[in-house]
Structures are given as structure tokens and as C-alpha cells.
Amino acid sequence: MSNNKLQVAIDGPASAGKSTVAKLIANEFSYIYCDTGAMYRSIALKAMRLGYNLSDERIIVEMLKNTNISFEPNENQQKVFLDGQEVTNDIRQEDVTNSVSEIASLSGVRSDLVKRQQAIASNGGIVMDGRDIGTTVLPNAEIKIFLIASVKERAERRFKDNAEKDIHVPLEQLKHDIEERDYKDSHRKISPLLKADDAIEIDTTSMSIQDVVDEISKIIKNNG
Ligand code: DC
């Protein structure tokens, strides 16, 4: 199969560098990039704005029937639209970040979003990042990468990202939030964060972004 048609699944815990790396890989191969976390975040944002209880599966699944999420490529950052309105920055705010695991644990929400993700990836030529891409969304992806990094390193990365976005949360708090999110993402009943048996694990703790991109790029080229 030609490289243009490959499906690349990049999974791993929060702040392991998945989206930064996935975007660069997508650029290098002229693939589509799909940030599945942004989809869960958009659903959480909409439910919060409507004042819904985030554990009320029935009402949230009903809401999904009238919910459109789309992406628009941009130079550095992919723009995210919820029902036609840009929410790129809104979905990164701490209140969404801390509530999204609850939404992501609802089976009705997951099955709806997984279907949308599979449709986006159906023609290949895609880099998709998330938690369950290699295990559930694209179990036949040719390339499966599982990125990990220490909690300390991930909290420091998020701290720097936040500073650029003028979001100020103490480092210790970020460490605590990351540990809590890791726990919730790994222990939920449906599609928990899990490395697929055939995924290649890369520990990015002491690697630069470029090193990680080079390593994944080599894996893709060797497969093509
Ligand atoms: O990668 P992120 O921080 O933007 O993800 C937001 C949340 O969505 C996170 O709590 C895990 C969840 N998520 C998921 O359950 N499955 C995915 N494929 C992507 C994200």
C-alpha cells in the first residue's frame, strides 16, 4: 500500500506530546490530522454551556444528534468548530480539561464519536491521536504508536503551553490533575487508555519533539 493511504494511530496519556507530534507527522506526509481529544472536549464544552449534568448519558447522547464538530487546518494549530462556531481556545480551558473525562466515560458518547472518527479515517492518509485509536477506532491501522512520558515532564510541558495561552495554574496542581486524568482514562470501563499489542511504545521524557517526529517518520517510511 502506498504511504499516502496509511492510517497512523497515536495514543498515550494526557500531555505526552501526541498532538504536537501528530500534526508534524501529518504535515510531513501531507496526511489529514484528526485530534479526537478535541472532539470529546467540544462535547464537554457544549454540555457545560447548556448546563447539563455531565453524567446524564441520555441527555448528552440526545444532544449529540444535533452536534457538528469540524476541523480546519491552520498553519500551527488546527482550528476546531462546534456547530459552526470556533472553539479552538475555549476547549483548552481548565474547566473543560477537568470535566472532559466524565463525558469520555459515557458509552453512548464514545460509540457516536468512534463512528465519526472511523468515517474521517476511512480513506487512509490520516494521523489520528487519542487514547483508543489503535485499540478501538482503527484496530487495523498500519502504524500504531504509543507515546509516554513521566508525570513531571508532562506537567512541565503543560505549564509552558499554558503560559503561552495566558492560562496560569501552579505546576503542582497540573501534576495532580494529570495523575487524576491518567487514573480516570486508564480505569474507565469502556475503551480505557491501553497500549495495543502491536503498538510501538516511545518514551518521550528526554526526547525533543523533532527526535520523536524523526523516529515515527522512520517507522512510517519503513512500512511504506
Ligand atoms: O488528549 P486530550 O487531553 O485533548 O483529551 C481530552 C479527554 O478526552 C481526555 O480526558 C481523554 C479523552 N479522550 C478519550 O477518552 N479518547 C480519545 N480518543 C481522545 C480523548
Side-chain angles (χ1 to χ4, degrees):
M1 191 188 272
S2 117
N3 263 343
N4 287 333
K5 285 287 167 199
L6 297 187
Q7 292 178 332
V8 181
I10 302 186
D11 290 300
S15 302
K18 298 184 299 291
S19 62
T20 307
V21 165
K23 251 176 272 173
L24 291 167
I25 294 284
N27 271 348
E28 181 174 338
F29 289 88
S30 299
Y31 282 10
I32 297 167
Y33 165 57
C34 177
D35 173 356
T36 62
M39 299 172 84
Y40 288 94
R41 286 171 179 270
S42 298
I43 302 302
L45 177 68
K46 182 164 176 175
M48 286 161 76
R49 282 181 174 169
L50 290 169
Y52 292 160
N53 174 346
L54 300 189
S55 57
D56 188 337
E57 180 157 7
R58 194 192 55 78
I59 201 161
I60 291 173
V61 168
E62 192 57 33
M63 179 191 88
L64 281 178
K65 292 183 186 156
N66 303 308
T67 301
N68 183 269
I69 301 164
S70 58
F71 297 101
E72 196 180 280
N74 195 19
E75 239 174 79
N76 312 310
Q77 191 194 27
Q78 190 173 47
K79 288 188 181 177
V80 185
F81 292 85
L82 172 64
D83 298 328
Q85 199 190 19
E86 189 180 352
V87 292
T88 315
N89 295 326
D90 299 345
I91 59 169
R92 304 285 156 202
Q93 299 302 314
E94 289 296 304
D95 55 346
V96 176
T97 299
N98 292 329
S99 311
V100 61
S101 296
E102 194 151 3
I103 285 273
S105 68
L106 303 176
S107 68
V109 170
R110 298 204 72 84
S111 58
D112 180 297
L113 291 189
V114 166
K115 271 190 223 129
R116 297 185 197 207
Q117 292 153 9
Q118 288 171 335
I120 294 171
S122 61
N123 292 324
I126 182 137
V127 183
M128 187 169 272
D129 77 358
R131 303 292 189 287
D132 59 340
I133 311 305
T135 52
T136 306
V137 181
L138 305 177
N140 299 319
E142 292 84 354
I143 309 285
K144 295 185 187 177
I145 306 291
F146 197 78
L147 291 186
I148 57 165
S150 69
V151 170
K152 180 169 173 283
E153 171 93 10
R154 289 188 281 143
E156 284 166 1
R157 288 178 191 168
R158 183 135 289 191
F159 189 79
K160 273 194 217 145
D161 280 358
N162 279 352
E164 280 164 24
K165 292 178 198 139
D166 214 20
I167 299 173
H168 301 283
V169 181
L171 190 62
E172 280 310 311
Q173 176 71 43
L174 290 177
K175 273 192 209 162
H176 172 264
D177 292 348
I178 285 177
E179 276 169 347
E180 197 168 54
R181 219 138 64 90
D182 278 359
Y183 185 86
K184 283 189 194 155
D185 289 344
S186 311
H187 288 81
R188 65 167 175 249
K189 285 205 192 82
I190 312 132
S191 284
L193 170 67
L194 201 66
K195 177 176 156 314
D197 289 340
D198 51 350
I200 298 172
E201 182 170 294
I202 303 175
D203 184 343
T204 71
T205 302
S206 52
M207 289 172 82
S208 69
I209 291 168
Q210 196 54 49
D211 288 343
V212 181
V213 170
D214 289 347
E215 189 158 334
I216 298 175
S217 168
K218 220 180 339 169
I219 295 168
I220 296 174
K221 285 176 184 152
N222 285 341
N223 193 279

